[in-house]
Amino acid sequence: MSNQLVVDEGIMKIPSWWTCPDGFQELKEQAHELGKSVLLAGSSNSDQNSIYPRESLKAMAEAGFGAVTLPIEYGGLERGFKGFAVLAESFAQYCASSTMCWVMHTAAVHVLFSAGSEEQKNRLVPGVLRGDVGGLAFSEPATGGHFWNLVSSAPRYGNGYLLNADKSFVTSAGEADWYIVCTNYPESTKEDKLMFLLVENGTEGVTHYPFSAMGLRGNSSGPMKFENVFVPSENLVGDEGGMNYYNDNVVDPLFLLGTSACWIGVAQGALNAAIDGAKKKVHADTGSSVTGYQVIRHELAKAQISIDSARNMLIRVAEALDNCKANGKDLSDCLYPLWELKTHSADMVIQVTNQALQVSGGRGYLTGQVEKYLRDGRAGALMGPTNEILREWIGRTLIEVPWFE
Ligand SMILES: Cc1cc2nc3c(=O)[nH]c(=O)nc-3n(C[C@H](O)[C@H](O)[C@H](O)COP(=O)(O)OP(=O)(O)OC[C@H]3O[C@@H](n4cnc5c(N)ncnc54)[C@H](O)[C@@H]3O)c2cc1C
């Protein structure tokens, strides 16, 4: 046994490299500081009253996290996908709603950066650095979680397009300053007719509806309707069709990595709260704290091992994405590990938040921290690609048949 790992009174110190990749400790501490001082303060009100966490998102941008995945000359952080993952996991321990809005925003900004024109980047990125929020309007009620198969369309109309689309869930609906709307360009000569349009909030014909849900209640992830919305040509992001490439290479990698980090943070936050509560609760009859019972300690251990297994996948996948980028390879090279990561993290958060609630007893069931983690974390497996779809793609890959029909 290494002496370095044993501190006073025989208490094992968990090595910092196990819970945070080397070189990212300072960034993690910065995120926890922001989480404690800002995100946590607004979290309960946001949850109980379905309040959009505008102040938290503004504070994240002011701290330099408005466009983290962009190059430094665009105001990015230049800490790669690993930095994005460390931030998302840390923030989620304090407020899952703010973190989810921030993850979707970061993905939207990355889509704009990857597929957009210089003019579009110059138009929108400065605002993003000051706290403007972006959203992704992809999923439609007609095709559910199959967000790569849409029924909406935007044919040419004068010097632009006429967009008609129903969207089932849009994180930051009605709150974002702009949306990347995915739709079909019916006149496209390409087999893949998907097209991305930039629609600013307040544009005529855009309506949003309230989000009333079990968890992530501050998210404003409600439906949106785009009715005869005129989108000028300068708001076409990328090409008229063929944009599924960006689903595989930008939307999915950013979304799957960021949301997985969020579920890992929610699980760790729930377990930390459960440990804290179990240490403090002492039974007068036995004189033992709840942590004095071996069965409870085993439950804590099982939960932490589950979290660490997911976190280690997270760091490994983030590193692989960073390597792909550095070597000029497509991020879609990492899709298979991303599917495993998202499925595992979203399953894990359901299991761990349940364990945290059980360890917390009736107190955990009262409106407050532990039950909130459980409600927030339950969204992961439902968010597209859902865990059922991902398991099917993983299974098909294992038996060496095409994953996508
Ligand atoms: C909190 C939250 C935020 C969201 N934010 C956004 C956002 O910002 N932008 C956006 O575009 N979307 C967003 N979504 C939508 C999300 O990505 C999914 O599209 C949506 O959750 C799927 O729900 P549905 O009711 O349409 O499911 P359905 O697709 O109708 O699925 C119902 C069930 O059938 C299963 N199923 C569906 N298809 C298959 C299949 N092919 N094989 C096996 N099983 C299948 C599903 O796994 C699920 O169990 C959000 C969703 C939530 C809950």
Side-chain angles (χ1 to χ4, degrees), residues 104 136-141 143-147 168-171 211 216 219 221 255 379 381-389 392:
M104 299 310 282
L136 292 174
F138 280 52
S139 312
E140 300 188 347
T143 50
H146 305 164
F147 61 83
S168 44
F169 299 88
V170 181
T171 295
F211 180 58
L216 295 178
N219 254 29
S221 293
F255 169 79
L382 305 168
M383 290 179 73
T386 63
N387 278 20
E388 285 72 24
I389 292 177
E392 177 63 8

PDB file of all heavy atoms in Angstrom, residues 104 136-141 143-147 168-171 211 216 219 221 255 379 381-389 392, ligand 1:
ATOM      1  N   MET A 104     -27.155  22.142 -24.033  1.00  0.00           N
ATOM      2  CA  MET A 104     -27.838  22.291 -25.329  1.00  0.00           C
ATOM      3  C   MET A 104     -27.357  23.565 -26.028  1.00  0.00           C
ATOM      4  O   MET A 104     -27.193  23.592 -27.253  1.00  0.00           O
ATOM      5  CB  MET A 104     -29.368  22.338 -25.150  1.00  0.00           C
ATOM      6  CG  MET A 104     -29.983  21.111 -24.527  1.00  0.00           C
ATOM      7  SD  MET A 104     -29.509  19.562 -25.277  1.00  0.00           S
ATOM      8  CE  MET A 104     -30.519  19.553 -26.720  1.00  0.00           C
ATOM      9  N   LEU A 136     -31.535  24.112 -29.695  1.00  0.00           N
ATOM     10  CA  LEU A 136     -31.631  23.183 -30.823  1.00  0.00           C
ATOM     11  C   LEU A 136     -33.068  22.703 -30.936  1.00  0.00           C
ATOM     12  O   LEU A 136     -33.572  22.053 -30.014  1.00  0.00           O
ATOM     13  CB  LEU A 136     -30.721  21.972 -30.602  1.00  0.00           C
ATOM     14  CG  LEU A 136     -29.206  22.201 -30.640  1.00  0.00           C
ATOM     15  CD1 LEU A 136     -28.466  20.914 -30.252  1.00  0.00           C
ATOM     16  CD2 LEU A 136     -28.745  22.638 -32.037  1.00  0.00           C
ATOM     17  N   ALA A 137     -33.739  23.037 -32.042  1.00  0.00           N
ATOM     18  CA  ALA A 137     -35.128  22.607 -32.247  1.00  0.00           C
ATOM     19  C   ALA A 137     -35.126  21.506 -33.304  1.00  0.00           C
ATOM     20  O   ALA A 137     -35.163  21.788 -34.509  1.00  0.00           O
ATOM     21  CB  ALA A 137     -35.980  23.798 -32.680  1.00  0.00           C
ATOM     22  N   PHE A 138     -35.046  20.271 -32.849  1.00  0.00           N
ATOM     23  CA  PHE A 138     -34.937  19.123 -33.763  1.00  0.00           C
ATOM     24  C   PHE A 138     -36.155  18.202 -33.669  1.00  0.00           C
ATOM     25  O   PHE A 138     -36.892  18.023 -34.630  1.00  0.00           O
ATOM     26  CB  PHE A 138     -33.647  18.329 -33.457  1.00  0.00           C
ATOM     27  CG  PHE A 138     -32.404  18.946 -34.040  1.00  0.00           C
ATOM     28  CD1 PHE A 138     -32.081  20.272 -33.818  1.00  0.00           C
ATOM     29  CD2 PHE A 138     -31.521  18.197 -34.813  1.00  0.00           C
ATOM     30  CE1 PHE A 138     -30.937  20.859 -34.353  1.00  0.00           C
ATOM     31  CE2 PHE A 138     -30.373  18.755 -35.357  1.00  0.00           C
ATOM     32  CZ  PHE A 138     -30.082  20.087 -35.120  1.00  0.00           C
ATOM     33  N   SER A 139     -36.404  17.598 -32.464  1.00  0.00           N
ATOM     34  CA  SER A 139     -37.431  16.549 -32.322  1.00  0.00           C
ATOM     35  C   SER A 139     -38.817  17.056 -32.701  1.00  0.00           C
ATOM     36  O   SER A 139     -39.197  18.176 -32.343  1.00  0.00           O
ATOM     37  CB  SER A 139     -37.497  16.063 -30.877  1.00  0.00           C
ATOM     38  OG  SER A 139     -36.230  15.779 -30.392  1.00  0.00           O
ATOM     39  N   GLU A 140     -39.561  16.181 -33.391  1.00  0.00           N
ATOM     40  CA  GLU A 140     -40.930  16.536 -33.798  1.00  0.00           C
ATOM     41  C   GLU A 140     -41.909  15.495 -33.260  1.00  0.00           C
ATOM     42  O   GLU A 140     -41.556  14.307 -33.160  1.00  0.00           O
ATOM     43  CB  GLU A 140     -41.013  16.602 -35.330  1.00  0.00           C
ATOM     44  CG  GLU A 140     -40.057  17.657 -35.876  1.00  0.00           C
ATOM     45  CD  GLU A 140     -40.215  17.923 -37.367  1.00  0.00           C
ATOM     46  OE1 GLU A 140     -40.896  17.136 -38.054  1.00  0.00           O
ATOM     47  OE2 GLU A 140     -39.657  18.936 -37.817  1.00  0.00           O
ATOM     48  N   PRO A 141     -43.156  15.908 -32.955  1.00  0.00           N
ATOM     49  CA  PRO A 141     -44.122  14.953 -32.409  1.00  0.00           C
ATOM     50  C   PRO A 141     -44.381  13.795 -33.375  1.00  0.00           C
ATOM     51  O   PRO A 141     -44.593  12.657 -32.948  1.00  0.00           O
ATOM     52  CB  PRO A 141     -45.394  15.776 -32.181  1.00  0.00           C
ATOM     53  CG  PRO A 141     -45.146  17.131 -32.739  1.00  0.00           C
ATOM     54  CD  PRO A 141     -43.683  17.279 -33.021  1.00  0.00           C
ATOM     55  N   THR A 143     -42.391  12.158 -35.374  1.00  0.00           N
ATOM     56  CA  THR A 143     -41.383  11.086 -35.443  1.00  0.00           C
ATOM     57  C   THR A 143     -40.683  10.864 -34.104  1.00  0.00           C
ATOM     58  O   THR A 143     -39.738  10.071 -34.017  1.00  0.00           O
ATOM     59  CB  THR A 143     -40.333  11.392 -36.541  1.00  0.00           C
ATOM     60  OG1 THR A 143     -39.864  12.738 -36.354  1.00  0.00           O
ATOM     61  CG2 THR A 143     -40.920  11.243 -37.927  1.00  0.00           C
ATOM     62  N   GLY A 144     -41.152  11.547 -33.043  1.00  0.00           N
ATOM     63  CA  GLY A 144     -40.643  11.313 -31.686  1.00  0.00           C
ATOM     64  C   GLY A 144     -39.143  11.488 -31.582  1.00  0.00           C
ATOM     65  O   GLY A 144     -38.576  12.458 -32.067  1.00  0.00           O
ATOM     66  N   GLY A 145     -38.522  10.494 -30.947  1.00  0.00           N
ATOM     67  CA  GLY A 145     -37.076  10.568 -30.715  1.00  0.00           C
ATOM     68  C   GLY A 145     -36.232  10.340 -31.961  1.00  0.00           C
ATOM     69  O   GLY A 145     -35.013  10.420 -31.901  1.00  0.00           O
ATOM     70  N   HIS A 146     -36.840  10.065 -33.093  1.00  0.00           N
ATOM     71  CA  HIS A 146     -36.068   9.870 -34.342  1.00  0.00           C
ATOM     72  C   HIS A 146     -35.789  11.248 -34.944  1.00  0.00           C
ATOM     73  O   HIS A 146     -36.369  11.613 -35.957  1.00  0.00           O
ATOM     74  CB  HIS A 146     -36.847   9.019 -35.356  1.00  0.00           C
ATOM     75  CG  HIS A 146     -37.291   7.690 -34.829  1.00  0.00           C
ATOM     76  ND1 HIS A 146     -38.251   6.921 -35.430  1.00  0.00           N
ATOM     77  CD2 HIS A 146     -36.897   6.982 -33.743  1.00  0.00           C
ATOM     78  CE1 HIS A 146     -38.426   5.801 -34.733  1.00  0.00           C
ATOM     79  NE2 HIS A 146     -37.623   5.824 -33.706  1.00  0.00           N
ATOM     80  N   PHE A 147     -34.920  12.020 -34.309  1.00  0.00           N
ATOM     81  CA  PHE A 147     -34.770  13.426 -34.717  1.00  0.00           C
ATOM     82  C   PHE A 147     -34.008  13.599 -36.026  1.00  0.00           C
ATOM     83  O   PHE A 147     -33.808  14.710 -36.497  1.00  0.00           O
ATOM     84  CB  PHE A 147     -34.146  14.266 -33.586  1.00  0.00           C
ATOM     85  CG  PHE A 147     -32.777  13.821 -33.164  1.00  0.00           C
ATOM     86  CD1 PHE A 147     -31.660  14.216 -33.867  1.00  0.00           C
ATOM     87  CD2 PHE A 147     -32.609  13.009 -32.051  1.00  0.00           C
ATOM     88  CE1 PHE A 147     -30.398  13.807 -33.483  1.00  0.00           C
ATOM     89  CE2 PHE A 147     -31.348  12.587 -31.655  1.00  0.00           C
ATOM     90  CZ  PHE A 147     -30.245  12.988 -32.376  1.00  0.00           C
ATOM     91  N   SER A 168     -41.482  19.060 -30.682  1.00  0.00           N
ATOM     92  CA  SER A 168     -42.114  18.514 -29.472  1.00  0.00           C
ATOM     93  C   SER A 168     -41.458  18.979 -28.180  1.00  0.00           C
ATOM     94  O   SER A 168     -42.138  19.254 -27.187  1.00  0.00           O
ATOM     95  CB  SER A 168     -42.119  16.989 -29.526  1.00  0.00           C
ATOM     96  OG  SER A 168     -40.873  16.501 -29.970  1.00  0.00           O
ATOM     97  N   PHE A 169     -40.128  19.025 -28.164  1.00  0.00           N
ATOM     98  CA  PHE A 169     -39.382  19.466 -26.975  1.00  0.00           C
ATOM     99  C   PHE A 169     -38.215  20.322 -27.450  1.00  0.00           C
ATOM    100  O   PHE A 169     -37.443  19.872 -28.291  1.00  0.00           O
ATOM    101  CB  PHE A 169     -38.757  18.275 -26.222  1.00  0.00           C
ATOM    102  CG  PHE A 169     -39.723  17.256 -25.682  1.00  0.00           C
ATOM    103  CD1 PHE A 169     -40.144  16.194 -26.467  1.00  0.00           C
ATOM    104  CD2 PHE A 169     -40.170  17.333 -24.369  1.00  0.00           C
ATOM    105  CE1 PHE A 169     -41.010  15.228 -25.968  1.00  0.00           C
ATOM    106  CE2 PHE A 169     -41.029  16.369 -23.859  1.00  0.00           C
ATOM    107  CZ  PHE A 169     -41.451  15.324 -24.654  1.00  0.00           C
ATOM    108  N   VAL A 170     -38.116  21.527 -26.927  1.00  0.00           N
ATOM    109  CA  VAL A 170     -36.948  22.363 -27.239  1.00  0.00           C
ATOM    110  C   VAL A 170     -36.451  22.951 -25.920  1.00  0.00           C
ATOM    111  O   VAL A 170     -37.143  23.762 -25.299  1.00  0.00           O
ATOM    112  CB  VAL A 170     -37.297  23.517 -28.217  1.00  0.00           C
ATOM    113  CG1 VAL A 170     -36.048  24.338 -28.523  1.00  0.00           C
ATOM    114  CG2 VAL A 170     -37.934  22.997 -29.498  1.00  0.00           C
ATOM    115  N   THR A 171     -35.280  22.528 -25.476  1.00  0.00           N
ATOM    116  CA  THR A 171     -34.727  23.107 -24.247  1.00  0.00           C
ATOM    117  C   THR A 171     -34.477  24.592 -24.478  1.00  0.00           C
ATOM    118  O   THR A 171     -33.907  24.959 -25.506  1.00  0.00           O
ATOM    119  CB  THR A 171     -33.441  22.346 -23.837  1.00  0.00           C
ATOM    120  OG1 THR A 171     -33.820  21.019 -23.500  1.00  0.00           O
ATOM    121  CG2 THR A 171     -32.746  22.990 -22.645  1.00  0.00           C
ATOM    122  N   PHE A 211     -43.562  24.206 -20.319  1.00  0.00           N
ATOM    123  CA  PHE A 211     -42.989  22.888 -20.015  1.00  0.00           C
ATOM    124  C   PHE A 211     -43.363  22.543 -18.578  1.00  0.00           C
ATOM    125  O   PHE A 211     -42.908  23.192 -17.639  1.00  0.00           O
ATOM    126  CB  PHE A 211     -41.467  22.954 -20.166  1.00  0.00           C
ATOM    127  CG  PHE A 211     -40.741  21.664 -19.878  1.00  0.00           C
ATOM    128  CD1 PHE A 211     -41.019  20.502 -20.588  1.00  0.00           C
ATOM    129  CD2 PHE A 211     -39.734  21.613 -18.916  1.00  0.00           C
ATOM    130  CE1 PHE A 211     -40.325  19.320 -20.349  1.00  0.00           C
ATOM    131  CE2 PHE A 211     -39.036  20.439 -18.669  1.00  0.00           C
ATOM    132  CZ  PHE A 211     -39.326  19.296 -19.378  1.00  0.00           C
ATOM    133  N   LEU A 216     -36.212  18.594 -14.210  1.00  0.00           N
ATOM    134  CA  LEU A 216     -35.617  19.639 -15.068  1.00  0.00           C
ATOM    135  C   LEU A 216     -36.646  20.747 -15.291  1.00  0.00           C
ATOM    136  O   LEU A 216     -36.804  21.255 -16.412  1.00  0.00           O
ATOM    137  CB  LEU A 216     -35.175  19.053 -16.418  1.00  0.00           C
ATOM    138  CG  LEU A 216     -34.051  18.017 -16.389  1.00  0.00           C
ATOM    139  CD1 LEU A 216     -33.761  17.487 -17.787  1.00  0.00           C
ATOM    140  CD2 LEU A 216     -32.765  18.573 -15.780  1.00  0.00           C
ATOM    141  N   ASN A 219     -36.138  24.103 -17.105  1.00  0.00           N
ATOM    142  CA  ASN A 219     -35.535  24.006 -18.434  1.00  0.00           C
ATOM    143  C   ASN A 219     -36.265  24.699 -19.566  1.00  0.00           C
ATOM    144  O   ASN A 219     -35.693  24.929 -20.611  1.00  0.00           O
ATOM    145  CB  ASN A 219     -35.491  22.525 -18.826  1.00  0.00           C
ATOM    146  CG  ASN A 219     -34.118  21.977 -18.741  1.00  0.00           C
ATOM    147  OD1 ASN A 219     -33.341  22.446 -17.938  1.00  0.00           O
ATOM    148  ND2 ASN A 219     -33.831  21.013 -19.562  1.00  0.00           N
ATOM    149  N   SER A 221     -38.338  23.243 -21.539  1.00  0.00           N
ATOM    150  CA  SER A 221     -38.149  22.319 -22.685  1.00  0.00           C
ATOM    151  C   SER A 221     -39.483  22.004 -23.359  1.00  0.00           C
ATOM    152  O   SER A 221     -39.777  20.859 -23.694  1.00  0.00           O
ATOM    153  CB  SER A 221     -37.481  21.019 -22.220  1.00  0.00           C
ATOM    154  OG  SER A 221     -36.172  21.248 -21.797  1.00  0.00           O
ATOM    155  N   PHE A 255     -23.927  16.567 -27.722  1.00  0.00           N
ATOM    156  CA  PHE A 255     -25.106  16.298 -26.916  1.00  0.00           C
ATOM    157  C   PHE A 255     -24.889  15.054 -26.037  1.00  0.00           C
ATOM    158  O   PHE A 255     -25.164  15.062 -24.835  1.00  0.00           O
ATOM    159  CB  PHE A 255     -26.317  16.110 -27.847  1.00  0.00           C
ATOM    160  CG  PHE A 255     -27.526  15.581 -27.173  1.00  0.00           C
ATOM    161  CD1 PHE A 255     -28.335  16.416 -26.420  1.00  0.00           C
ATOM    162  CD2 PHE A 255     -27.867  14.239 -27.265  1.00  0.00           C
ATOM    163  CE1 PHE A 255     -29.452  15.914 -25.769  1.00  0.00           C
ATOM    164  CE2 PHE A 255     -28.976  13.734 -26.633  1.00  0.00           C
ATOM    165  CZ  PHE A 255     -29.774  14.576 -25.872  1.00  0.00           C
ATOM    166  N   ALA A 379     -34.769  12.039 -16.684  1.00  0.00           N
ATOM    167  CA  ALA A 379     -34.938  12.470 -18.089  1.00  0.00           C
ATOM    168  C   ALA A 379     -33.920  11.827 -19.032  1.00  0.00           C
ATOM    169  O   ALA A 379     -34.179  11.660 -20.223  1.00  0.00           O
ATOM    170  CB  ALA A 379     -34.831  13.989 -18.182  1.00  0.00           C
ATOM    171  N   ALA A 381     -32.611   8.859 -19.815  1.00  0.00           N
ATOM    172  CA  ALA A 381     -32.889   7.693 -20.656  1.00  0.00           C
ATOM    173  C   ALA A 381     -33.939   7.993 -21.723  1.00  0.00           C
ATOM    174  O   ALA A 381     -34.025   7.300 -22.742  1.00  0.00           O
ATOM    175  CB  ALA A 381     -33.338   6.529 -19.770  1.00  0.00           C
ATOM    176  N   LEU A 382     -34.748   9.051 -21.481  1.00  0.00           N
ATOM    177  CA  LEU A 382     -35.840   9.401 -22.409  1.00  0.00           C
ATOM    178  C   LEU A 382     -35.391  10.343 -23.513  1.00  0.00           C
ATOM    179  O   LEU A 382     -36.082  10.505 -24.521  1.00  0.00           O
ATOM    180  CB  LEU A 382     -36.974  10.108 -21.649  1.00  0.00           C
ATOM    181  CG  LEU A 382     -37.577   9.408 -20.444  1.00  0.00           C
ATOM    182  CD1 LEU A 382     -38.446  10.364 -19.670  1.00  0.00           C
ATOM    183  CD2 LEU A 382     -38.372   8.207 -20.907  1.00  0.00           C
ATOM    184  N   MET A 383     -34.263  11.009 -23.256  1.00  0.00           N
ATOM    185  CA  MET A 383     -33.822  12.010 -24.234  1.00  0.00           C
ATOM    186  C   MET A 383     -33.131  11.304 -25.400  1.00  0.00           C
ATOM    187  O   MET A 383     -32.388  10.359 -25.216  1.00  0.00           O
ATOM    188  CB  MET A 383     -32.907  13.042 -23.563  1.00  0.00           C
ATOM    189  CG  MET A 383     -33.710  13.919 -22.605  1.00  0.00           C
ATOM    190  SD  MET A 383     -32.742  15.162 -21.739  1.00  0.00           S
ATOM    191  CE  MET A 383     -32.433  16.335 -23.042  1.00  0.00           C
ATOM    192  N   GLY A 384     -33.429  11.815 -26.595  1.00  0.00           N
ATOM    193  CA  GLY A 384     -32.985  11.131 -27.799  1.00  0.00           C
ATOM    194  C   GLY A 384     -31.508  11.299 -28.094  1.00  0.00           C
ATOM    195  O   GLY A 384     -30.954  12.347 -27.770  1.00  0.00           O
ATOM    196  N   PRO A 385     -30.885  10.330 -28.726  1.00  0.00           N
ATOM    197  CA  PRO A 385     -31.406   8.990 -28.944  1.00  0.00           C
ATOM    198  C   PRO A 385     -31.676   8.309 -27.592  1.00  0.00           C
ATOM    199  O   PRO A 385     -30.782   8.273 -26.751  1.00  0.00           O
ATOM    200  CB  PRO A 385     -30.291   8.267 -29.704  1.00  0.00           C
ATOM    201  CG  PRO A 385     -29.348   9.339 -30.179  1.00  0.00           C
ATOM    202  CD  PRO A 385     -29.510  10.488 -29.259  1.00  0.00           C
ATOM    203  N   THR A 386     -32.895   7.783 -27.448  1.00  0.00           N
ATOM    204  CA  THR A 386     -33.287   7.172 -26.169  1.00  0.00           C
ATOM    205  C   THR A 386     -32.431   5.923 -25.907  1.00  0.00           C
ATOM    206  O   THR A 386     -31.796   5.394 -26.815  1.00  0.00           O
ATOM    207  CB  THR A 386     -34.770   6.750 -26.207  1.00  0.00           C
ATOM    208  OG1 THR A 386     -34.923   5.749 -27.223  1.00  0.00           O
ATOM    209  CG2 THR A 386     -35.702   7.914 -26.485  1.00  0.00           C
ATOM    210  N   ASN A 387     -32.463   5.463 -24.664  1.00  0.00           N
ATOM    211  CA  ASN A 387     -31.633   4.298 -24.325  1.00  0.00           C
ATOM    212  C   ASN A 387     -32.048   3.049 -25.109  1.00  0.00           C
ATOM    213  O   ASN A 387     -31.209   2.223 -25.435  1.00  0.00           O
ATOM    214  CB  ASN A 387     -31.665   4.041 -22.818  1.00  0.00           C
ATOM    215  CG  ASN A 387     -30.683   4.951 -22.090  1.00  0.00           C
ATOM    216  OD1 ASN A 387     -30.271   5.984 -22.628  1.00  0.00           O
ATOM    217  ND2 ASN A 387     -30.308   4.589 -20.885  1.00  0.00           N
ATOM    218  N   GLU A 388     -33.348   2.948 -25.437  1.00  0.00           N
ATOM    219  CA  GLU A 388     -33.793   1.780 -26.225  1.00  0.00           C
ATOM    220  C   GLU A 388     -33.138   1.810 -27.607  1.00  0.00           C
ATOM    221  O   GLU A 388     -32.641   0.800 -28.103  1.00  0.00           O
ATOM    222  CB  GLU A 388     -35.325   1.770 -26.393  1.00  0.00           C
ATOM    223  CG  GLU A 388     -36.114   1.366 -25.163  1.00  0.00           C
ATOM    224  CD  GLU A 388     -36.122   2.427 -24.074  1.00  0.00           C
ATOM    225  OE1 GLU A 388     -35.929   3.620 -24.395  1.00  0.00           O
ATOM    226  OE2 GLU A 388     -36.316   2.071 -22.903  1.00  0.00           O
ATOM    227  N   ILE A 389     -33.169   2.987 -28.218  1.00  0.00           N
ATOM    228  CA  ILE A 389     -32.595   3.123 -29.561  1.00  0.00           C
ATOM    229  C   ILE A 389     -31.085   2.870 -29.520  1.00  0.00           C
ATOM    230  O   ILE A 389     -30.530   2.147 -30.353  1.00  0.00           O
ATOM    231  CB  ILE A 389     -32.926   4.515 -30.142  1.00  0.00           C
ATOM    232  CG1 ILE A 389     -34.436   4.606 -30.415  1.00  0.00           C
ATOM    233  CG2 ILE A 389     -32.117   4.807 -31.400  1.00  0.00           C
ATOM    234  CD1 ILE A 389     -34.922   5.942 -30.912  1.00  0.00           C
ATOM    235  N   GLU A 392     -30.179  -0.712 -29.191  1.00  0.00           N
ATOM    236  CA  GLU A 392     -30.388  -1.413 -30.467  1.00  0.00           C
ATOM    237  C   GLU A 392     -29.185  -1.179 -31.400  1.00  0.00           C
ATOM    238  O   GLU A 392     -28.683  -2.104 -32.041  1.00  0.00           O
ATOM    239  CB  GLU A 392     -31.700  -0.921 -31.107  1.00  0.00           C
ATOM    240  CG  GLU A 392     -32.034  -1.489 -32.460  1.00  0.00           C
ATOM    241  CD  GLU A 392     -32.253  -3.006 -32.471  1.00  0.00           C
ATOM    242  OE1 GLU A 392     -32.302  -3.626 -31.406  1.00  0.00           O
ATOM    243  OE2 GLU A 392     -32.329  -3.553 -33.594  1.00  0.00           O
TER     244      GLU A 392
HETATM  245  C1  LIG B   1     -36.191  17.355 -20.774  1.00  0.00           C
HETATM  246  C2  LIG B   1     -36.114  17.148 -22.232  1.00  0.00           C
HETATM  247  C3  LIG B   1     -35.428  18.067 -23.010  1.00  0.00           C
HETATM  248  C4  LIG B   1     -35.370  17.908 -24.397  1.00  0.00           C
HETATM  249  N1  LIG B   1     -34.718  18.846 -25.148  1.00  0.00           N
HETATM  250  C5  LIG B   1     -34.713  18.748 -26.501  1.00  0.00           C
HETATM  251  C6  LIG B   1     -34.113  19.765 -27.314  1.00  0.00           C
HETATM  252  O1  LIG B   1     -33.557  20.741 -26.818  1.00  0.00           O
HETATM  253  N2  LIG B   1     -34.193  19.631 -28.654  1.00  0.00           N
HETATM  254  C7  LIG B   1     -34.782  18.571 -29.251  1.00  0.00           C
HETATM  255  O2  LIG B   1     -34.802  18.532 -30.468  1.00  0.00           O
HETATM  256  N3  LIG B   1     -35.362  17.579 -28.516  1.00  0.00           N
HETATM  257  C8  LIG B   1     -35.322  17.653 -27.150  1.00  0.00           C
HETATM  258  N4  LIG B   1     -35.920  16.663 -26.388  1.00  0.00           N
HETATM  259  C9  LIG B   1     -36.552  15.524 -27.070  1.00  0.00           C
HETATM  260  C10 LIG B   1     -35.777  14.229 -26.906  1.00  0.00           C
HETATM  261  O3  LIG B   1     -34.521  14.300 -27.489  1.00  0.00           O
HETATM  262  C11 LIG B   1     -36.553  13.058 -27.494  1.00  0.00           C
HETATM  263  O4  LIG B   1     -36.844  13.323 -28.812  1.00  0.00           O
HETATM  264  C12 LIG B   1     -37.819  12.830 -26.754  1.00  0.00           C
HETATM  265  O5  LIG B   1     -37.565  12.787 -25.379  1.00  0.00           O
HETATM  266  C13 LIG B   1     -38.440  11.527 -27.196  1.00  0.00           C
HETATM  267  O6  LIG B   1     -39.732  11.507 -26.624  1.00  0.00           O
HETATM  268  P1  LIG B   1     -41.032  11.046 -27.441  1.00  0.00           P
HETATM  269  O7  LIG B   1     -42.189  11.186 -26.523  1.00  0.00           O
HETATM  270  O8  LIG B   1     -41.077  11.752 -28.728  1.00  0.00           O
HETATM  271  O9  LIG B   1     -40.656   9.514 -27.579  1.00  0.00           O
HETATM  272  P2  LIG B   1     -40.965   8.436 -28.678  1.00  0.00           P
HETATM  273  O10 LIG B   1     -39.964   8.547 -29.776  1.00  0.00           O
HETATM  274  O11 LIG B   1     -42.400   8.460 -29.040  1.00  0.00           O
HETATM  275  O12 LIG B   1     -40.620   7.109 -27.855  1.00  0.00           O
HETATM  276  C14 LIG B   1     -41.511   6.423 -26.979  1.00  0.00           C
HETATM  277  C15 LIG B   1     -40.836   5.126 -26.538  1.00  0.00           C
HETATM  278  O13 LIG B   1     -40.559   4.306 -27.687  1.00  0.00           O
HETATM  279  C16 LIG B   1     -39.168   3.989 -27.738  1.00  0.00           C
HETATM  280  N5  LIG B   1     -38.706   3.998 -29.133  1.00  0.00           N
HETATM  281  C17 LIG B   1     -38.852   5.004 -30.028  1.00  0.00           C
HETATM  282  N6  LIG B   1     -38.297   4.660 -31.203  1.00  0.00           N
HETATM  283  C18 LIG B   1     -37.775   3.432 -31.036  1.00  0.00           C
HETATM  284  C19 LIG B   1     -37.046   2.547 -31.886  1.00  0.00           C
HETATM  285  N7  LIG B   1     -36.736   2.884 -33.144  1.00  0.00           N
HETATM  286  N8  LIG B   1     -36.635   1.366 -31.370  1.00  0.00           N
HETATM  287  C20 LIG B   1     -36.943   1.021 -30.077  1.00  0.00           C
HETATM  288  N9  LIG B   1     -37.627   1.819 -29.248  1.00  0.00           N
HETATM  289  C21 LIG B   1     -38.029   3.011 -29.709  1.00  0.00           C
HETATM  290  C22 LIG B   1     -38.489   5.101 -26.948  1.00  0.00           C
HETATM  291  O14 LIG B   1     -37.206   4.689 -26.481  1.00  0.00           O
HETATM  292  C23 LIG B   1     -39.493   5.336 -25.831  1.00  0.00           C
HETATM  293  O15 LIG B   1     -39.314   4.381 -24.830  1.00  0.00           O
HETATM  294  C24 LIG B   1     -35.983  16.797 -25.004  1.00  0.00           C
HETATM  295  C25 LIG B   1     -36.672  15.862 -24.214  1.00  0.00           C
HETATM  296  C26 LIG B   1     -36.741  16.031 -22.855  1.00  0.00           C
HETATM  297  C27 LIG B   1     -37.483  15.009 -22.026  1.00  0.00           C
END
